[in-house]
Amino acid sequence: MAETIFTWFLIVLLVLLAIASVKFIVTSCYQVYKKFLVTFGHKRGSLSKSIEV
């Protein structure tokens, strides 16, 4: 019984870690993307406006 609880605890921990990693990667990519938009978006102002809805 204890081994099952420990296994589930490990699984939940791994899932939480995976979610945290994905959130971190998505946030980093989004910040880089926004910097890219700010740098190169002046030529395409209408495009960046339509994306930031």
Side-chain angles (χ1 to χ4, degrees), residues 2 9-10 12 15-16 31 35 37 39 41 51:
F9 178 72
L10 271 178
V12 168
V15 168
L16 288 176
Q31 282 173 352
K35 280 182 189 170
L37 271 187
T39 310
I51 289 170

Side-chain angles (χ1 to χ4, degrees), residues 33-49 51-52:
Y33 178 68
K34 280 193 93 169
K35 280 182 189 170
F36 176 81
L37 271 187
V38 167
T39 310
F40 300 100
H42 293 298
K43 298 171 188 169
R44 304 180 179 183
S46 57
L47 181 71
S48 59
K49 277 176 191 160
I51 289 170
E52 289 178 20

Side-chain angles (χ1 to χ4, degrees), residues 16-40:
L16 288 176
L17 250 165
I19 292 170
S21 308
V22 168
K23 273 188 178 178
F24 177 73
I25 292 167
V26 167
T27 308
S28 303
C29 289
Y30 183 67
Q31 282 173 352
V32 170
Y33 178 68
K34 280 193 93 169
K35 280 182 189 170
F36 176 81
L37 271 187
V38 167
T39 310
F40 300 100

